[in-house]
């Protein structure tokens, strides 16, 4: 079962409306609807909070939703790549400044 189905079923079992869950999590009702229809996925922090609200383990909530796992992995890889690019850019700037300083000292 995919997480959207799990969330929809858990909401019905706990008699919580999309509006109520949205208020608890600080998101819009449309966001909850998108999660329940698998148009988008909650971030890991909200998944953990949803598991608490619905009294489910993360395993119960996530089991079988390979697409969501793939989405999280892709997002994690993008963040990781962005951090590396930022580090390389900072290193490049530091080297350019050092080289400029060194060349100005040699000419002076």
């Amino acid at each position: 079962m995919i997480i959207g189905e799990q969330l929809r079923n858990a909401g019905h079992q706990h008699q919580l409306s999309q509006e109520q869950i949205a208020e608890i999590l600080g998101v819009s009702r449309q966001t909850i609807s998108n999660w329940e229809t698998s148009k988008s996925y909650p971030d890991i922090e909200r998944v953990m909070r949803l598991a608490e609200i619905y009294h489910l383990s993360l395993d119960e909530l996530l089991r079988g939703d390979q697409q969501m796992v793939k989405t999280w992995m892709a997002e994690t890889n993008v963040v990781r790549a962005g951090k590396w690019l930022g580090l390389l850019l900072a290193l490049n700037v530091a080297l350019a400044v050092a080289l400029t300083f060194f060349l100005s000292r040699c000419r002076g």
Side-chain angles (χ1 to χ4, degrees):
M1 182 181 304
I2 59 176
I3 190 169
E5 293 173 40
Q6 287 279 51
L7 294 175
R8 192 170 41 255
N9 291 341
H12 290 302
Q13 287 176 353
H14 287 82
Q15 298 178 346
L16 292 169
S17 68
Q18 289 180 344
E19 289 85 5
Q20 290 169 314
I21 294 299
E23 187 175 323
I24 292 168
L25 295 177
V27 299
S28 70
R29 188 214 49 83
Q30 186 62 43
T31 297
I32 302 299
S33 176
N34 287 341
W35 294 346
E36 289 184 357
T37 58
S38 298
K39 290 180 182 174
S40 65
Y41 299 106
D43 59 37
I44 188 66
E45 290 178 42
R46 291 205 170 91
V47 168
M48 292 187 316
R49 184 72 180 111
L50 286 162
E52 290 174 11
I53 292 166
Y54 294 138
H55 307 289
L56 296 170
S57 70
L58 287 175
D59 185 54
E60 290 171 314
L61 193 55
L62 300 176
R63 184 174 294 191
D65 197 338
Q66 295 303 314
Q67 183 59 43
M68 187 170 89
V69 173
K70 288 178 186 177
T71 300
W72 279 351
M73 293 300 288
E75 288 173 0
T76 301
N77 290 338
V78 168
V79 169
R80 191 174 298 138
K83 287 180 181 178
W84 275 108
L85 288 174
L87 178 64
L88 291 173
L89 179 61
L91 181 59
N92 197 5
V93 169
L95 288 174
V97 169
L99 183 59
T100 302
F101 179 75
F102 177 74
L103 290 176
S104 69
R105 291 292 221 182
C106 288
R107 290 182 188 166

